[in-house]
Amino acid sequence: MSNQTYADIIIDISHENLDKTYQYTIPEDLIPQAVIGALVVVPFGKGNRKINGYIVGMSGEPKIDEKLIKPIDEVVKNAPVIESHLIFLSFWIKETFGGTMNDALKTVIPVRKAVKIIEQKSISLAIDTVQANQLYYEYQRKNNAARVRLMEALLKNPILDYEDAIHKLSIPRSTLQGLEKQGVTKTIAEQVYRNPVRNQDIKYVPVQLNEEQQIIVDGICKDYEEGIRSTYLIHGITGSGKTEVYMEILAAVIAQGKQVILLIPEIALTYQTVMRFYKRFGDRISIMNSKMSQGERYDQSLRAKNGEIDIIIGPRSALFTPFQNLGMIIIDEEHENSYKSETSPRYQATLVAIKRAELTGASVILGSATPSLESYHKAQQGEYKLYTLTKRAKEAHPPKVWIVDLREELKKKNKSIFSEKLKELIIDRLTKKEQIMLFLNRRGYAGFVSCRSCGHVMKCPHCEISLTTHNSGKMLCHYCGYEEPQPTLCPTCKSRYIAAFGTGTQKVEELVAREFPGARVLRMDTDTTKNKGGHETILSSFANHKADILVGTQMIVKGHDFPKVTLVGIIAADLSLYAGDFRASERTFQLLCQAAGRAGRDILSGEVVIQTYHPEHYSIQTAAMGNYMDFFEQEMKYRSLMQYPPAANILLALITSKEEAAADKAALHLGDVVKEILNQRELAAQLIGPAPANLSKANDIYRRVIYIKYSDYGTLIDIKNYLEGYFSFSEHFAGCNLQFDFNPMSTY
Ligand code: ADP
Ligand code: ZN
Ligand code: ZN
C-alpha cells in the first residue's frame, strides 16, 4: 500500500471555510483519467454527499489518517481538463487578487459543464467514379429519379451533407440506407464545432505599413525570433494603424506554429472589427463573446486545445483559452475598465496575461490611444517596452476642438444645455445633411455638488475627491466617511446656483427635439439597448443615415466608424470629472479623446465641442489638444501627492451584511485589526475608513469599506492573507462577508 497516490481536490463550493484542498484516493480503474485538472465526483462530508471537484495536485503522502481518506467516485467524461499551467495561474490569481480557489478555478475554466457534441453526418461514394457513372446511367434507365439525383450530386461533389441530401435533394432516408448496404455509398460521422463565423468569400487587401508601423513590427518580431519574451506597450492615437500592426505581428507568430489571444473590449467587438481579422486569417480564427451559448464557448476552447485554430479574439474571458502552444497575448484598448473583473476574483486581465505569458513563454502587447496610468508608468520605468504611433494612418485631419465655458453661457442668460457654439454648429450640420453625435458622459456619475455660476465643486478636505449628495441633505466622502451639510450658497462666489448635477440622455433627447424640430434623433444608452441586438439596430440605422443626431452615453464613442459624422458635442464633460474616485480625471481624458476621435473619420473634416464648467482643468485641456504626455505628467503629480496608484497600491476590504449593525460593528473591528497589524509591523501604510460604501446598501445588503494605501503590493497581499485567515475564525464577523479588491477601478 506504500505507493498509493492521493489526489488533492478543490471542492466546487465557494465558501471561505472550504477553501482548501482535500485528499482522496484514486481507484485503480480511474488512474488513467484522473489527471491534474480533471473534473471529478467525490463523496463529501458526513453524509458523503456527491459533489464536483477538481484535481489540482497529486502526492504520495497522506495528510490525515490514511483510513479516513475516501476514494474518488468518478471522473466526469467529456469535461474539459484544465492545463496544469492554468491551475497554477488560478492559484496565482487567488493569491494576487483575493477570492476563493474555487472562484479562481472557475475563472480559468472556459466552460465547466460538458456539452453534448453535435455530430455531422456526410455521405460519399464507396465506389470509384467509373462504377458510379455506370450506376448513374443504370438508374436513369430504370427511372429511379432519387438515385439519379444523388449520383449526379456525388459525381460533382465527393462529400455531401447527410441532412442536405435528405432535405435539399429529397432523397428518402430508406434510399440512402439501401445504397449504403449495397456498398455504393458510405456515411461518415464527424464532430462539428459550432463555429460562430462561417467561411466567407472575401478577399484580404494588404496595406503597405508606414514607417512608424514598420518600426514596431520589425522591433517586436526581431525580439520574438531571438527568443526574447517581453511586454510591449503601443501608444498610438485613434486611427494610427495599431490594428494593422497587431495583424502583421500575429501573422509572424502563427507562422512559427504558435497561437495568439487577442483581447478586445466586448463593446468594440463589432462586425466591422471581426471581419477585418477574418479577411486576413480566415478559418484559423475564432471569436468569443458573452452572447455565445455555453456550447459554443466549449467548442471554441476544444478547437483551441486541439490546435484547430491559431487565433482567438474575445473579451476578458478569452484570456483563458486553453492553447497548447501560446505565443502571444495582445490586449487592445488596454486602458478599458472591462479588463478588470467586477466579481470575485477581481483580477486585472493585463497582469494575468503577463503572468500567463511568463508561464508559457509568450510575449504580451498592450495597445491604446490613451494608455492607463499604470501601464504608461511601467513603460517609463522600463518594465514594458514602449512604442509610439503619432500619425493617423489615413490622411484624415485631426478634428478642430472648441472648449465652451458653461459659466459664460449662464452669464449670457443661456440656461439651455446647448451652448451658442454647439447650437450654431448643429444647425450648420443639419443644413449640410451631415451627422452629429451628442455625448453625455454619465459613467461614474454620482451626484457631485457644483456651482453653475463659478464651477466650484465640493470636495473632501482629506481625499481630494468630490463629495456626493444624499437624500438627507448631506454630502459624503466615500473613501473616508467625512460628511458635511450641503450648502445653499456657493462657498466661493456666493451664488445660489449650487446643486447636484444631473441630466440624463432621455432629457437630452427631449431637448434636442424641442430645440431642433425636424431633426431625426436616435438615443443609445442602457435603456434603449436592453434587447438583444439593440446595439446593432441603433448603430446600423444611424450608419444608414436614418437619423441626423445620435444621443448617447460612452457606448457611442467606442470604435464605430461613421464617415458622415462631422460634429461631436460633449454636453457636460464635467460629469465624469467629479465622479468621486481617484481615476475620474483619467477616465474623463480617455472619454474625451475617444469622443473627439469620432469626428471626421473620413474625407470630411470634423469639429468637436466640449462643454464644461472647468475649461481650465488639465483633463479637458490636454484632451482637446490630444496631448497624452501632458496629461500623464500632470495626473502623475496628483497620484504621487495623494499616494494613489500607480504611485502606491490600494487594498480595499468590503464588508457586507444583511444587518446594518453587524456591518458597522464588523467594519469597525476590521479597522482596529488593520491598525494593529500596521503598528506591529511598523508599516507606514495609510488606513482610510471604515466608511459606508458609495453604494451603501444594495439589494438590502449593507456595504462598508476600508482602504489601505501602501507602496508595496506584496505587503498588501500579506495583509489580505492575514485578514482572510482572521475573518474565518473570529466571531466579530458573524453574519458578514468579506471581499477584497486591489487597486479598484471605481468606488464601491
Ligand atoms: P487603430 O487600430 O490604431 O485605431 P487601424 O489599424 O484601425 O487603427 O487603422 C485605421 C484605418 O487606417 C483603417 O481603415 C486601416 O485600414 C487604415 N490603415 C492602417 N494602416 C494603414 C497604412 N499603412 N496604409 C493605409 N491605410 C492604413
Ligand atoms: Zn460659485
Ligand atoms: Zn475623504
Side-chain angles (χ1 to χ4, degrees):
M1 280 315 290
S2 59
N3 54 1
Q4 175 69 31
T5 309
Y6 302 94
D8 298 324
I9 289 175
I10 293 276
I11 299 297
D12 187 1
I13 301 175
S14 282
H15 192 286
E16 294 86 359
N17 295 336
L18 298 176
D19 199 28
K20 56 182 177 196
T21 57
Y22 294 85
Q23 277 190 323
Y24 284 85
T25 56
I26 306 171
E28 194 111 358
D29 56 320
L30 293 183
I31 289 175
Q33 300 112 281
V35 294
I36 291 185
L39 176 61
V40 295
V41 179
V42 292
F44 189 71
K46 290 211 182 76
N48 282 337
R49 190 153 63 97
K50 304 278 186 229
I51 215 162
N52 282 346
Y54 299 99
I55 303 181
V56 296
M58 300 277 183
S59 54
E61 294 291 314
K63 286 182 208 145
I64 55 169
D65 183 354
E66 234 174 307
K67 288 185 224 82
L68 295 176
I69 303 182
K70 303 170 200 171
I72 292 172
D73 275 336
E74 59 172 298
V75 177
V76 179
K77 289 197 187 66
N78 284 331
V81 171
I82 327 165
E83 304 297 313
S84 55
H85 86 265
L86 286 174
I87 290 182
F88 184 86
L89 192 66
S90 43
F91 274 109
W92 183 84
I93 288 174
K94 171 199 152 58
E95 181 73 2
T96 313
F97 303 101
T100 64
M101 187 58 204
N102 187 45
D103 283 340
L105 274 173
K106 281 186 176 158
T107 303
V108 306
I109 309 166
V111 178
R112 283 174 51 245
K113 288 194 191 67
V115 176
K116 203 177 142 219
I117 288 160
I118 294 176
E119 268 192 339
Q120 182 177 323
K121 280 200 293 187
S122 46
I123 313 165
S124 66
L125 287 169
I127 50 179
D128 64 31
T129 43
V130 179
Q131 290 171 309
N133 259 308
Q134 285 170 355
L135 275 178
Y136 171 71
Y137 292 114
E138 193 184 318
Y139 294 150
Q140 265 192 338
R141 239 187 8 255
K142 290 183 179 164
N143 273 332
N144 202 326
R147 291 185 185 211
V148 170
R149 281 198 303 277
L150 182 69
M151 287 325 252
E152 202 172 52
L154 280 172
L155 282 164
K156 270 195 213 138
N157 203 338
I159 296 175
L160 287 182
D161 186 86
Y162 201 89
E163 295 304 310
D164 277 359
I166 291 169
H167 299 293
K168 292 196 183 142
L169 297 176
S170 308
I171 317 275
R173 242 170 241 279
S174 55
T175 306
L176 292 176
Q177 284 157 359
L179 287 174
E180 190 169 355
K181 262 202 201 123
Q182 292 170 22
V184 175
T185 60
K186 59 185 175 205
T187 305
I188 322 156
E190 223 180 316
Q191 267 188 21
V192 290
Y193 299 107
R194 308 165 187 87
N195 189 348
V197 191
R198 286 274 162 217
N199 311 2
Q200 308 220 6
D201 231 5
I202 26 174
K203 283 278 164 304
Y204 161 64
V205 189
V207 303
Q208 180 75 39
L209 295 187
N210 63 35
E211 202 183 320
E212 284 190 328
Q213 289 171 314
Q214 197 63 51
I215 289 173
I216 302 179
V217 172
D218 291 347
I220 295 178
C221 288
K222 182 163 172 283
D223 275 3
Y224 202 81
E225 270 154 36
E226 288 172 358
I228 298 169
R229 297 294 179 263
S230 194
T231 301
Y232 306 87
L233 174 63
I234 302 179
H235 171 214
I237 58 167
T238 315
S240 59
K242 294 184 290 297
T243 309
E244 294 296 333
V245 169
Y246 302 151
M247 289 203 278
E248 209 56 35
I249 295 171
L250 235 146
V253 173
I254 62 174
Q256 295 195 15
K258 304 277 179 128
Q259 293 117 20
V260 180
I261 295 171
L262 172 63
L263 301 188
I264 289 182
E266 178 118 36
I267 202 162
L269 200 58
T270 55
Y271 183 76
Q272 275 179 8
T273 332
V274 169
M275 285 328 282
R276 267 176 87 180
F277 283 92
Y278 226 75
K279 275 182 195 172
R280 177 137 182 200
F281 298 103
D283 252 344
R284 302 299 298 174
I285 211 163
S286 198
I287 315 292
M288 242 193 235
N289 66 49
S290 64
K291 287 192 194 113
M292 282 162 63
S293 67
Q294 281 222 327
E296 284 172 326
R297 283 196 250 181
Y298 174 70
D299 287 346
Q300 299 311 318
S301 42
L302 212 60
R303 295 178 71 206
K305 208 175 152 97
N306 295 341
E308 291 170 32
I309 51 172
D310 301 314
I311 305 162
I312 190 112
I313 304 183
R316 192 178 67 222
S317 56
L319 181 54
F320 303 105
T321 306
F323 280 129
Q324 307 274 318
N325 208 356
L326 184 64
M328 190 164 284
I329 303 173
I330 302 176
I331 306 186
D332 191 30
E333 311 272 5
E334 70 83 30
H335 62 276
E336 274 288 320
N337 277 7
S338 59
Y339 289 126
K340 175 89 187 270
S341 169
E342 284 180 341
T343 53
S344 183
R346 296 187 162 82
Y347 68 93
Q348 166 61 48
T350 307
L351 301 179
V352 178
I354 293 170
K355 190 68 190 178
R356 185 168 180 200
E358 185 191 307
L359 294 172
T360 53
S363 279
V364 176
I365 299 178
L366 312 174
S368 173
T370 52
S372 64
L373 268 258
E374 271 96 338
S375 293
Y376 204 82
H377 181 67
K378 283 188 179 158
Q380 280 201 329
Q381 306 282 308
E383 209 173 307
Y384 302 162
K385 291 188 191 170
L386 180 66
Y387 283 106
T388 316
L389 289 169
T390 55
K391 293 189 280 287
R392 281 198 181 185
K394 286 179 182 164
E395 285 299 323
H397 297 286
K400 179 165 175 49
V401 182
W402 305 90
I403 299 180
V404 174
D405 187 344
L406 288 173
R407 295 169 301 186
E408 295 299 320
E409 298 293 315
L410 191 70
K411 276 188 201 152
K412 286 188 263 177
K413 302 276 183 277
N414 176 13
K415 286 186 191 163
S416 105
I417 61 163
F418 308 104
S419 61
E420 282 171 6
K421 185 81 210 169
L422 184 56
K423 222 181 289 180
E424 172 199 319
L425 292 178
I426 290 177
I427 292 165
D428 175 69
R429 295 315 194 269
L430 289 174
T431 334
K432 289 185 188 153
K433 305 237 176 306
E434 292 172 5
Q435 286 180 299
I436 300 150
M437 278 167 117
L438 293 180
F439 170 57
L440 187 72
N441 183 359
R442 269 181 71 83
R443 171 145 56 194
Y445 161 60
F448 70 92
V449 178
S450 74
C451 171
R452 288 189 65 180
S453 190
C454 77
H456 179 81
V457 172
M458 301 301 295
K459 285 189 188 172
C460 172
H462 311 294
C463 305
E464 266 305 301
I465 59 163
S466 57
L467 296 169
T468 312
T469 43
H470 275 249
N471 307 338
S472 53
K474 280 181 184 153
M475 301 178 302
L476 196 66
C477 170
H478 289 296
Y479 276 26
C480 71
Y482 170 87
E483 62 173 52
E484 66 177 61
Q486 192 170 319
T488 45
L489 292 182
C490 170
T492 315
C493 76
K494 306 288 178 256
S495 145
R496 287 179 296 111
Y497 289 104
I498 184 155
F501 212 112
T503 308
T505 38
Q506 205 173 344
K507 190 79 187 293
V508 175
E509 188 191 14
E510 275 169 37
L511 293 172
V512 169
R514 202 183 307 161
E515 192 86 38
F516 310 100
R520 297 164 302 166
V521 192
L522 271 174
R523 172 164 62 99
M524 183 154 146
D525 56 21
T526 38
D527 284 341
T528 59
T529 54
K530 254 186 216 132
N531 299 332
K532 212 178 165 187
H535 268 95
E536 282 81 26
T537 317
I538 297 172
L539 291 174
S540 70
S541 51
F542 190 59
N544 295 327
H545 210 156
K546 298 247 169 65
D548 307 300
I549 304 178
L550 177 63
V551 174
T553 52
Q554 55 275 1
M555 272 179 206
I556 67 172
V557 305
K558 301 276 154 87
H560 311 294
D561 259 337
F562 300 112
K564 278 206 173 151
V565 172
T566 56
L567 175 63
V568 170
I570 293 143
I571 300 296
D574 312 55
L575 275 186
S576 61
L577 205 44
Y578 298 101
D581 79 295
F582 70 88
R583 295 185 200 270
S585 300
E586 182 178 6
R587 207 160 292 137
T588 302
F589 176 80
Q590 289 162 353
L591 286 167
L592 294 182
C593 287
Q594 261 166 355
R598 294 303 110 209
R601 299 276 289 181
D602 221 289
I603 320 130
L604 302 168
S605 58
E607 279 177 287
V608 178
V609 177
I610 301 177
Q611 302 191 147
T612 172
Y613 290 100
H614 291 83
E616 68 290 340
H617 194 284
Y618 62 92
S619 292
I620 291 169
Q621 287 289 333
T622 53
M625 289 185 294
N627 192 336
Y628 178 82
M629 280 312 299
D630 249 16
F631 170 75
F632 176 80
E633 272 160 24
Q634 302 220 40
E635 180 67 7
M636 269 314 284
K637 279 185 200 148
Y638 160 74
R639 303 280 177 102
S640 305
L641 185 73
M642 298 305 296
Q643 288 295 290
Y644 287 129
N649 289 287
I650 293 183
L651 171 61
L652 160 116
L654 173 71
I655 297 252
T656 53
S657 177
K658 281 191 183 133
E659 305 289 332
E660 184 164 23
D664 283 333
K665 196 178 128 234
L668 275 175
H669 182 68
L670 194 70
D672 290 340
V673 175
V674 173
K675 260 179 232 156
E676 212 174 291
I677 304 173
L678 299 182
N679 279 337
Q680 260 172 24
R681 303 198 187 179
E682 297 181 4
L683 292 175
Q686 217 179 322
L687 168 68
I688 308 167
N694 190 359
L695 199 62
S696 58
K697 183 182 172 188
N699 298 325
D700 290 320
I701 307 272
Y702 293 88
R703 296 151 57 90
R704 300 292 179 263
V705 289
I706 283 178
Y707 293 86
I708 307 164
K709 274 195 226 169
Y710 191 63
S711 51
D712 180 48
Y713 196 113
T715 307
L716 291 178
I717 291 181
D718 289 347
I719 294 176
K720 175 215 63 172
N721 288 344
Y722 178 83
L723 295 179
E724 239 165 25
Y726 182 78
F727 179 85
S728 66
F729 64 76
S730 163
E731 70 278 14
H732 285 95
F733 302 103
C736 294
N737 260 311
L738 174 63
Q739 294 175 48
F740 296 96
D741 191 356
F742 286 87
N743 298 333
M745 294 310 284
S746 53
T747 49
Y748 270 73

